[in-house]
């Protein structure tokens, strides 16, 4: 077993919920933005007491704000293909699901979907596919990236796809992919084996080492996360933190994102209910502990979760959320507000179907700044470089400026409904006024450039 899993297991074996004095001590260390030890993280994960959890959430919100400022990054997935040669018991795309209507987008169809998302306001999307040698292999993903980049104004494509070799990762990176994302599902080897009985994905260690290969191949940014509900969350969440620490020790950069996917019931899945259910309160605790333990990582909450919980997560450390998602290949443009037209092609049932304009409005109403920014990828702030800027605290100011510019573009090009527009515009103006001196003047100058029609203006 990988050393980092042994470390997580050891830390959890010794962990008890902290005393009030210990908690104060841990939270004050978390405030230094250097992350927490596995032993501290394990203690936080053991907390059940409401007041203690309240203190953890408060500190997580503080740390999120110190690292990322007010911004909340919005993105959307683009599902390319639901063909799959694996048989993950919980997934609607699994091979044995004979009721699934299979679909792999042609390059033209993928371009069409990307154009729809771009018109909606997304300039960063994550491509998602089942694992299949023909319908989602590396050649297919490269072709799709080439077509989307050359035929649309999409600025950055991330990808959530099956693990591959270092050589194939190099090819994917050359095609222009930004973040490589892959979920371990569970870090508990025995449960993993039961849940992934056949296919390439049944190789636990090959999946566990996927990020080492991606980083070795030159992917600066990788996204990790266990699928909550498959095993005891205390172990899986701590193992994800240990995984990020392992990557940081070996490659100099923590996980770029830690996602918090939670098992949803899926049409045609063998397992409908989570073997280890994770309550909403536990979910928030996990979000907050990720934030405190790996402060520079984006913590991502998807539309799997219900609206209210997603908003609560923004108050305890989450920094990225998807919006208006469809998990059906070809689902955009055929559905209303992200409701899949056809459940037999979608991956799982969504918890939050609010489209982008509504999410942007809600984020602004909560006092945050909706961001559709892609600047880090345009300016080479990835991997070590990103971590360096994030740790120095400069990311906060830069990103706020970039988020404002991306929002300005959104307001001009997409023009959401009047009521939402006013709220988003007010947030934009409020945050703009908070800048000081020269920077404020400079951001205003850049805003004018956007008003005059320049696009992709950023720092
Ligand atoms: N096929 C690739 C893989 O499994 O890594 C990538 C795409 S897969 C569609 C993306 C993720 O969806 C999986 O890693 C898994 O965590 C998640 N997923 C699968 N079934 C799910 C379900 N029923 N509820 C929530 N998430 C699910
Ligand atoms: Fe295939 Fe991924 Fe679904 Fe497993 S989770 S069945 S690998 S699409």
């Amino acid at each position: 077993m990988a050393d980092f899993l042994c470390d997580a297991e050891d830390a959890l074996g010794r962990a008890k919920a902290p005393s009030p004095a210990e908690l104060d001590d841990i939270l004050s260390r978390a405030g230094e933005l250097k992350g927490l030890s596995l032993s501290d993280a394990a203690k936080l994960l053991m907390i059940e007491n409401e007041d203690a959890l309240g203190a953890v959430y408060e500190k997580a919100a503080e740390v999120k704000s110190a690292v990322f400022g007010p911004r909340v990054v919005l993105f959307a997935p683009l599902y390319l293909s639901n063909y799959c040669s694996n048989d993950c018991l919980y997934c609607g795309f699994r091979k044995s699901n004979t009721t699934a209507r299979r679909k792999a987008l042609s390059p033209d169809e993928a371009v069409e979907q990307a154009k729809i998302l771009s018109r909606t306001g997304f300039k960063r999307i994550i491509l998602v596919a089942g694992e299949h040698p023909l319908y989602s292999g590396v050649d297919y993903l490269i072709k799709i990236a080439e077509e989307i980049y050359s035929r649309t104004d999409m600025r950055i494509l991330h990808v959530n796809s099956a693990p591959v070799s270092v050589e194939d990762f190099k090819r994917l990176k050359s095609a222009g992919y930004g973040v490589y994302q892959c979920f371990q599902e569970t870090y508990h080897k025995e449960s993993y084996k039961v849940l992934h009985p056949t296919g390439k994905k049944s190789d636990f260690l090959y999946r566990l080492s996927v990020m080492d290969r991606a980083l070795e191949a030159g992917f600066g940014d990788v996204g990790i996360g266990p699928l909550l509900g498959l095993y005891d969350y205390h172990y899986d969440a701590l193992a994800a933190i240990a995984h990020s620490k392992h990557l940081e020790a070996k490659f100099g950069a923590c996980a770029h994102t830690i996602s918090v996917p939670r098992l949803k019931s899926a049409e045609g899945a063998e397992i409908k209910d989570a073997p280890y259910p994770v309550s909403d309160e536990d979910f928030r605790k996990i979000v907050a502990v990720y934030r405190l333990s790996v402060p520079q990582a984006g913590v991502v909450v998807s539309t799997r979760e219900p609206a209210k919980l997603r908003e609560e997560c923004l108050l305890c450390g989450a920094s990225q959320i998807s919006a208006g998602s469809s998990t059906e290949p070809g689902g955009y443009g055929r559905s209303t507000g992200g409701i899949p037209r056809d459940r037999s092609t979608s991956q799982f049932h969504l918890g939050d179907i609010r489209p982008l304009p509504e999410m942007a409005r809600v984020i602004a109403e909560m006092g945050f700044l909706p961001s559709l920014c892609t600047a880090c990828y345009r300016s080479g702030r990835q991997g070590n470089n990103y971590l360096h800027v994030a740790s120095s605290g400069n990311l906060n100011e830069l990103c706020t400026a970039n988020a404002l510019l991306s929002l300005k573009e959104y307001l001009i090009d997409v023009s959401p409904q009047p009521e939402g527009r006013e709220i988003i515009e007010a947030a934009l103006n409020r945050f703009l006024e908070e800048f000081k001196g020269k920077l404020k003047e400079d951001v205003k100058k850049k805003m004018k450039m956007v008003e005059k029609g320049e696009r992709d203006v950023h720092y």
Side-chain angles (χ1 to χ4, degrees), residues 283-323:
F283 190 94
R284 288 169 70 198
K285 176 168 69 177
I286 294 162
V287 167
V289 175
Y290 283 158
R291 167 57 56 225
L292 296 175
S293 307
V294 194
Q296 278 76 33
V299 175
V300 188
V301 178
S302 74
T303 52
R304 290 174 179 86
E305 302 308 326
K308 183 168 166 282
L309 177 62
R310 291 201 335 140
E311 285 163 28
E312 287 168 351
C313 287
L314 293 179
L315 301 172
C316 66
S319 56
Q320 295 195 21
I321 54 174
S322 46

Side-chain angles (χ1 to χ4, degrees), residues 405 408-409 412-413 441-459:
L405 292 164
K408 184 79 184 172
E409 217 183 82
I412 294 171
D413 292 349
E441 289 319 304
D442 200 58
V443 178
K444 283 188 173 172
K445 235 188 260 168
K446 284 193 161 48
M447 287 276 177
K448 288 266 178 263
M449 289 158 66
V450 178
E451 276 168 22
K452 283 185 184 151
E454 263 193 65
R455 289 294 169 263
D456 198 12
V457 179
H458 61 266
Y459 286 91

Side-chain angles (χ1 to χ4, degrees), residues 84 86 88 90-91 93-94 130-131 201 347:
C84 196
N86 291 317
C88 313
Y90 45 83
C91 181
F93 291 176
R94 72 198 187 96
E131 178 165 12
K201 191 164 166 180
Q347 194 194 9

